[in-house]
Amino acid sequence: MTAPGDRAAALDGNAMAGDLREIFAVDVTSARFMCAGCTHTDAVATLMLWHQAPGLVARCPNCDDVVMRVVRAPDRVYLDLRGSVRLEVPLEGS
Amino acid sequence: MGIISRGFGGRRRESVPGLPPGQYLTHDFPVLSAGPTPRIPLDRWRFTVTTETGDQKSWNWTEFQALPADDVTVDIHCVTKWSKLGTTWRGVSLDTLLADVESAADYTMVHSFGGYTTNVPMEDLLDGKAWVAYKFDGEDLEPEHGGPARLLIPHLYFWKSAKWVNGVQLMTEDDPGFWEAAGYHMYGDPWREQRYQGD
């Protein structure tokens, strides 16, 4: 029940790089997520990002389920990963 | 310079007495969304109240439109800090939708098409404080603003006024909804600036 044009407003996961860099020492946008809804796996950079909201909402490009949520308070950042089965982070130099 | 700035700030607040702390006034109607806008055909629309024992009561669009409706003018306050004063809506009071429901629940989870959820205490839905609204400013509610119908609960931050609402689950214990689970406040009173967990 989603019109095709409705998905056009979404950025992709690359736009989360700055927020995620504050939490992780690695560039998480190059890590691979596994969607808890459909087990689709790809780079975090490929997630569809909804940013005109009270937080960042990153949805699976395969099933639209929410994979990650980032909420910024003045002195804290909340990262909700319940929509991710796992993150696969490549190690430097391996 | 500082004295002049405080003076301007003071005058601005005086001219907008309905503005909660930390909010600014807007005259347009920003669209915030956590996902794709669902397009719900009216013949597939349904609103369902589910009690803590699993009993259900529901209305299709035709039945819902036949319920008594209120015209209300209220101020709305988004947690992203914009407020819009004197907005006009038409909707069915939750007092009407919950009138014949047998329940001892103190909490509710509001559900929407598209999967959005938000938790609201039962007492905040009752006594003329909340509506399922289907008209804004005299017109059918546009999908971008939550149409065909959205919750309208103006005394809490507007993320509680769930767009594309399709039901209320009554609960005996409080559970966080979509934004509450990601760090936003469980209650969300704009006059107490309850934006995030711990505020």
Side-chain angles (χ1 to χ4, degrees):
Chain A
M1 287 189 288
T2 301
D6 291 334
R7 294 176 67 170
L11 298 175
D12 69 27
N14 283 301
M16 304 173 82
D19 291 273
L20 294 176
R21 193 174 296 125
E22 285 186 281
I23 307 172
F24 295 101
V26 297
D27 178 4
V28 177
T29 57
S30 64
R32 294 175 68 83
F33 69 90
M34 179 183 280
C35 173
C38 71
T39 71
H40 176 74
T41 300
D42 207 336
V44 168
T46 67
L47 292 168
M48 299 190 305
L49 190 66
W50 296 83
H51 62 108
Q52 291 176 330
L56 302 176
V57 179
R59 292 178 176 269
C60 175
N62 187 55
C63 74
D64 272 355
D65 275 6
V66 177
V67 175
M68 301 172 73
R69 272 170 281 199
V70 181
V71 167
R72 295 186 69 103
D75 59 347
R76 284 157 288 166
V77 180
Y78 296 92
L79 174 63
D80 184 325
L81 283 171
R82 75 180 61 193
S84 318
V85 174
R86 67 177 188 225
L87 279 179
E88 178 186 335
V89 182
L91 296 175
E92 294 273 343
S94 58
Chain B
M1 196 64 198
I3 293 168
I4 293 171
S5 295
R6 279 199 295 276
F8 277 120
R11 271 199 292 278
R12 192 166 62 244
R13 276 190 289 277
E14 279 171 27
S15 64
V16 191
L19 221 50
Q23 298 293 109
Y24 69 86
L25 190 61
T26 186
H27 294 287
D28 57 6
F29 196 167
V31 174
L32 277 72
S33 190
T37 298
R39 309 280 166 168
I40 303 116
L42 294 182
D43 61 2
R44 293 179 62 184
W45 186 92
R46 182 165 280 276
F47 185 87
T48 303
V49 175
T50 305
T51 72
E52 67 273 28
T53 60
D55 290 341
Q56 291 191 322
K57 183 173 184 181
S58 72
W59 297 262
N60 64 26
W61 187 254
T62 304
E63 294 162 343
F64 177 72
Q65 292 284 298
L67 295 172
D70 298 334
D71 291 301
V72 294
T73 301
V74 295
D75 303 336
I76 55 178
H77 311 291
C78 179
V79 74
T80 61
K81 299 196 172 182
W82 59 263
S83 289
K84 190 171 173 61
L85 307 184
T87 59
T88 56
W89 305 80
R90 183 172 180 79
V92 176
S93 169
L94 266 293
D95 292 309
T96 300
L97 296 167
L98 296 171
D100 300 323
V101 175
E102 293 275 336
S103 173
D106 289 328
Y107 303 97
T108 77
M109 188 68 75
V110 179
H111 290 265
S112 296
F113 292 97
Y116 183 77
T117 56
T118 188
N119 56 314
V120 179
M122 178 70 109
E123 65 179 359
D124 289 85
L125 291 181
L126 300 174
D127 298 327
K129 294 197 286 285
W131 297 265
V132 173
Y134 55 89
K135 283 188 182 292
F136 170 73
D137 209 12
E139 304 287 337
D140 290 345
L141 191 57
E142 295 178 7
E144 289 74 15
H145 289 302
R150 74 179 299 161
L151 188 68
L152 175 64
I153 182 162
H155 69 286
L156 301 179
Y157 279 125
F158 213 45
W159 91 75
K160 298 285 186 179
S161 292
K163 297 200 271 192
W164 316 299
V165 69
N166 67 5
V168 178
Q169 166 85 48
L170 310 185
M171 310 185 298
T172 55
E173 294 182 11
D174 203 5
D175 280 327
F178 184 94
W179 285 121
E180 297 85 2
Y184 278 96
H185 199 277
M186 288 291 277
Y187 185 63
D189 181 351
W191 295 97
R192 289 186 279 170
E193 278 210 84
Q194 294 175 334
R195 299 180 195 274
Y196 306 101
Q197 299 280 337
D199 283 351

